[in-house]
Amino acid sequence: MKDPITFADVLSARKTIAGHVIHTPLRPSAALSDRIGSPVWLKCEQQQYTGSFKLRGAANAVLRLRDEEKAKGVVGVSTGNYGRALAFAARNAGVRSIICMSELVPQNKVDGIRALGAEVRIIGQSQDEAQQEVDRLVEQDGMIMLPPFDHADVIAGQGTLGLEIVEALPDVDTLLVPLSGGGLLAGVALVAKSVNPMIRVVGITMERGCAMITSLQEGKPTSVKELPTLADSLGGGIGENNQYTFDMCGDLTDDFVLVNEAQIADGIRAAYHDDQQVIEGAGAVGIAALRAGLVDNPGRTVVLTTGCNIDMDLHKRIVGGEDVDLMAE
Ligand SMILES: *Cc1c(COP(=O)(O)O)cnc(C)c1O
């Protein structure tokens, strides 16, 4: 039986990764506050090193390895941002890394990971196929697998983001959390509910491929078809043998919200024009949900804007007003 992840694990993760990650700004959004009639802040993880919060979990997981594990090198599967974070954390710790991903990952993300000195392998059409290559590297070469979300050290690392929020705003009412594999939501919700069970945690994902929500509805990990989406960082399944995030997301989430592609584009646009922030689709789903009126009575709200790694030509088209549909391209 696995040990549950605790608030104390998050506190120790914060000590472990101090100096390796940025304590990101919590930035009031006048435009969103005006729009919904209560104060709204953006927790700006798009300003994190590597351009997403994923570094928190990756850094914690790499730094907590024993020396003999570090010597073997680390391997992980990624939709892009975790790969970038793992490559960065591994390089800083002097550890070799190989990142495996599916053909759906945008080229800008692949390039970013290679630039950090990681070896990249592109395999198949889904995260699950890329995972098979990871399994092979673990079995044949003895490398250490650090998964993108379903790992105690990764979840505790993501939880440090929650700590920064509740310390700055102990009276926050609602957290809007982008949701894919659920490592972020699990860590952040663990912290929020430990501090004040009344804090409402809303998990937000895209209509095109909401693996966690489908899995929770089915009562077991269930894969969904992966489709091109502006929120590409939210793609992928939750793993057939999910250990932590399926249960934690089920227990700790108050509401789930789905956003469509037009709403995600609207979120990206609003982040740019109203708040001067470049935010990728996955990072803009909270803004999208708020603006679309999909969150009931949000109150004092923190929107977790989780990443900035969007192809800049695509970003330019979206903020220029074009109706982008990646399915049609
Ligand atoms: C990975 C990612 C998420 C979702 O995190 P999970 O832990 O997989 O739920 C949200 N936003 C961005 C930008 C990401 O890279």
Side-chain angles (χ1 to χ4, degrees):
M1 227 347 236
K2 67 193 199 273
D3 288 332
I5 303 162
T6 65
F7 188 64
D9 294 329
V10 181
L11 292 173
S12 85
R14 172 155 64 183
K15 282 203 188 108
T16 302
I17 67 176
H20 295 265
V21 302
I22 297 174
H23 184 134
T24 53
L26 192 60
R27 186 181 190 279
S29 171
L32 287 172
S33 304
D34 283 351
R35 187 173 175 109
I36 71 161
S38 55
V40 179
W41 292 260
L42 306 182
K43 176 61 174 168
C44 294
E45 285 292 304
Q46 72 274 15
Q47 296 178 22
Q48 186 55 261
Y49 295 130
T50 73
S52 87
F53 75 92
K54 290 265 187 354
L55 183 62
R56 295 172 182 269
N60 192 44
V62 168
L63 291 166
R64 283 177 52 88
L65 291 176
R66 296 188 305 271
D67 287 346
E68 60 270 27
E69 292 174 315
K70 286 182 182 158
K72 290 177 174 162
V74 296
V75 56
V77 61
S78 173
T79 52
N81 284 340
Y82 179 67
R84 198 186 281 239
L86 185 57
F88 182 92
R91 186 188 62 183
N92 286 356
V95 172
R96 173 179 177 223
S97 64
I98 300 181
I99 310 300
C100 303
M101 32 193 167
S102 87
E103 287 159 12
L104 292 180
V105 175
Q107 189 61 36
N108 66 311
K109 294 193 172 177
V110 176
D111 295 344
I113 291 169
R114 286 219 172 94
L116 287 169
E119 208 177 297
V120 173
R121 307 229 171 130
I122 310 277
I123 294 116
Q125 288 290 328
S126 71
Q127 186 123 318
D128 289 341
E129 287 175 67
Q131 181 64 42
Q132 291 168 8
E133 175 69 3
V134 171
D135 295 343
R136 203 188 60 74
L137 287 163
V138 170
E139 266 169 45
Q140 292 180 9
D141 301 351
M143 295 187 79
I144 304 295
M145 175 178 70
L146 292 178
F149 51 85
D150 199 30
H151 185 286
D153 295 333
V154 171
I155 294 168
Q158 317 308 28
T160 63
L161 199 173
L163 279 182
E164 290 176 16
I165 296 172
V166 296
E167 285 172 352
L169 282 178
D171 57 352
V172 63
D173 293 313
T174 302
L175 301 177
L176 303 186
V177 187
L179 172 61
S180 175
L184 175 66
L185 191 143
V188 168
L190 168 67
V191 168
K193 299 291 182 185
S194 305
V195 169
N196 175 3
M198 296 300 288
I199 296 175
R200 190 162 140 225
V201 176
V202 182
I204 306 174
T205 191
M206 71 287 192
E207 284 178 0
R208 279 190 193 162
C210 48
M212 180 61 83
I213 297 176
T214 305
S215 298
L216 289 168
Q217 282 164 349
E218 299 287 322
K220 61 175 184 347
T222 304
S223 53
V224 296
K225 193 167 160 42
E226 287 185 48
L227 299 168
T229 168
L230 292 174
D232 55 279
S233 294
L234 301 183
I238 69 163
E240 276 172 37
N241 298 311
N242 191 291
Q243 297 288 304
Y244 296 101
T245 63
F246 174 75
D247 289 339
M248 291 178 78
C249 290
D251 291 345
L252 299 171
T253 313
D254 295 285
D255 297 299
F256 295 100
V257 169
L258 290 176
V259 289
N260 64 32
E261 296 298 301
Q263 289 162 341
I264 298 168
D266 172 73
I268 293 171
R269 251 176 233 129
Y272 185 73
H273 292 297
D274 298 342
D275 287 295
Q276 297 80 39
Q277 301 296 311
V278 173
I279 299 180
E280 63 175 282
V285 296
I287 297 174
L290 260 194
R291 286 177 52 88
L294 299 173
V295 184
D296 287 336
N297 194 16
R300 296 166 66 78
T301 300
V302 173
V303 184
L304 280 65
T305 49
T306 43
C308 68
N309 294 317
I310 184 170
D311 177 87
M312 287 310 285
D313 290 326
L314 175 62
H315 187 265
K316 203 158 143 192
R317 288 166 57 199
I318 294 169
V319 300
E322 190 180 325
D323 257 336
V324 176
D325 184 356
L326 295 179
M327 204 107 104
E329 296 193 0

